Amino acid sequence: MKIAASLGCFLFPSLLWGSFSESPRIEYATGYRNDRLHWHLQDPGDSGQLLYSEVAKNLQFWENAATLTVYHRDIYVFLSGSYAAFGQGGLVKQRYADLPYASNQPRFTFTPTGWAADGAGRFGYCINLTDGRFYKVLLVPFLGGSVHYESLQRKHPAPALEESNAALGANFYTMSSQLPGRLELTWYGFLLGGAFHIDPGSRAIFDVGYYYSWLHLHFHTHYANEVFLGPPLQTQQNASYSVKAKTGGNLGHTGWAKVSCWIDKAWQAGLGAQMNYFVSRDVDAKNNQRTPGQPPLKTTEKLKIRWTVVSGWATLSRSF
């Protein structure tokens, strides 16, 4: 109740004497997006020994977004949703580490495909730094929330079969690797930041901003391999792994810049760019291993994720 009363006292004067308003504006943006996703598993003990890693580089999307922006009596409201399709290009680099039967670290590459979706809402207050002048500079502190989802498939492993003489207790080993199913990654949480809206009084308008996020994380993926150990052991093993994690306390950084130009009294066209960098803390992940003829083995390992998204788009908007 105290929070609601304080918020009401903050907003009520602005509704009566707000100094800045603009017609609501709907914008469509289309352009290029490039993602990089790095995650690894490590031993939960003091050694922190690396166990497994994947790096997806240069994953390219065609991204489309729609936004609604409202400035009314110094109140700022922003809603956005986007969909990134045809995610392809680049490589997924896979590495196995600390294997009990090998002194080296087998590596494979895969071809990724995927899609992604994002949504955000921001609510803030406009501070007009140039009240009464023909140009406008607004400082807009805001808070809100966002959600980000990505789904990846990784196919066509290379090499199809890894052969090595670095076997422990055997003359050689061979290994093949697969990434079945999808990697699914979801971030969502609370954000806090600020933006500048600059209208010099000419045809161009500039927007630049940044926000800091506190994020929850959901992560799920699979990997599998088949290993043959040569003489004197002469053994073969097929194993599949399912990795799941769900936790809060992760952090994100988002910054953007946009320049728009008036076409007429209602329409604007422009160019913009945005970058997201999300990083998880050391997360407890459940790794469920299945090997034919053996009972399931469940272990807890430390998971670390870094996700970078860079977008650039052309925009077209209209006020109503």
Side-chain angles (χ1 to χ4, degrees):
M1 291 299 292
K2 291 182 179 180
I3 295 176
S6 300
L7 185 61
C9 292
F10 172 73
L11 294 179
F12 183 69
S14 68
L15 295 175
L16 293 179
W17 303 294
S19 63
F20 181 76
S21 294
E22 278 190 353
S23 299
R25 179 167 294 276
I26 294 177
E27 180 177 86
Y28 169 69
T30 183
Y32 172 81
R33 165 172 165 167
N34 189 292
D35 284 24
R36 186 182 192 276
L37 175 64
H38 177 196
W39 70 274
H40 67 257
L41 296 171
Q42 62 188 53
D43 188 273
D46 295 336
S47 67
Q49 179 70 36
L50 179 68
L51 303 176
Y52 177 88
S53 74
E54 284 183 31
V55 181
K57 294 182 177 181
N58 199 33
L59 186 61
Q60 303 171 61
F61 296 88
W62 175 37
E63 186 171 44
N64 294 273
T67 65
L68 170 66
T69 306
V70 178
Y71 296 98
H72 181 71
R73 294 187 178 272
D74 288 346
I75 301 302
Y76 165 78
V77 177
F78 176 90
L79 299 173
S80 73
S82 68
Y83 176 73
F86 309 120
Q88 54 191 351
L91 289 174
V92 174
K93 296 185 177 182
Q94 179 194 48
R95 175 163 59 133
Y96 292 89
D98 197 33
L99 296 174
Y101 50 80
S103 60
N104 64 346
Q105 298 183 352
R107 299 168 189 258
F108 299 85
T109 61
F110 293 79
T111 302
T113 60
W115 63 276
D118 303 88
R122 305 196 293 262
F123 179 81
Y125 182 77
C126 301
I127 303 171
N128 192 344
L129 302 180
T130 56
D131 191 22
R133 301 182 184 180
F134 74 93
Y135 60 91
K136 296 182 179 69
V137 178
L138 301 181
L139 171 61
V140 187
F142 58 77
L143 52 81
S146 66
V147 59
H148 312 268
Y149 174 82
E150 185 161 283
S151 175
L152 297 180
Q153 284 188 311
R154 298 93 79 213
K155 298 180 178 180
H156 312 302
L161 186 69
E162 169 79 9
E163 299 184 27
S164 174
N165 295 324
L168 298 177
N171 292 336
F172 69 92
Y173 76 89
T174 64
M175 182 180 190
S176 62
S177 183
Q178 298 289 333
L179 293 174
R182 289 182 173 271
L183 182 152
E184 294 182 300
L185 178 68
T186 305
W187 309 80
Y188 63 92
F190 173 76
L191 62 87
L192 180 67
F196 283 99
H197 177 77
I198 304 169
D199 182 355
S202 59
R203 298 181 66 87
I205 297 173
F206 303 91
D207 291 277
V208 61
Y210 165 84
Y211 61 79
Y212 187 84
S213 300
W214 294 265
L215 298 163
H216 289 267
L217 168 68
H218 290 201
F219 179 83
H220 186 204
T221 192
H222 305 266
Y223 62 97
N225 57 62
E226 181 176 336
V227 177
F228 173 76
L229 293 173
L233 298 178
Q234 295 287 100
T235 62
Q236 183 169 333
Q237 175 181 295
N238 300 329
S240 62
Y241 304 82
S242 174
V243 182
K244 292 183 179 181
K246 179 180 178 182
T247 187
N250 309 290
L251 303 177
H253 304 270
T254 300
W256 75 92
K258 185 180 71 170
V259 57
S260 302
C261 183
W262 287 100
I263 301 174
D264 60 21
K265 292 184 178 180
W267 290 88
Q268 293 179 4
L271 297 172
Q274 178 172 292
M275 180 176 178
N276 295 330
Y277 176 69
F278 296 164
V279 58
S280 76
R281 60 186 183 87
D282 289 334
V283 178
D284 287 334
K286 304 298 182 183
N287 194 347
N288 297 328
Q289 177 183 347
R290 293 185 178 275
T291 303
Q294 299 182 17
L297 177 62
K298 298 182 179 181
T299 60
T300 299
E301 296 163 354
K302 290 295 183 181
L303 169 70
K304 185 80 171 184
I305 302 175
R306 294 180 178 88
W307 189 43
T308 306
V309 179
V310 179
S311 300
W313 2 262
T315 65
L316 182 66
S317 66
R318 187 184 190 280
S319 61
F320 294 88

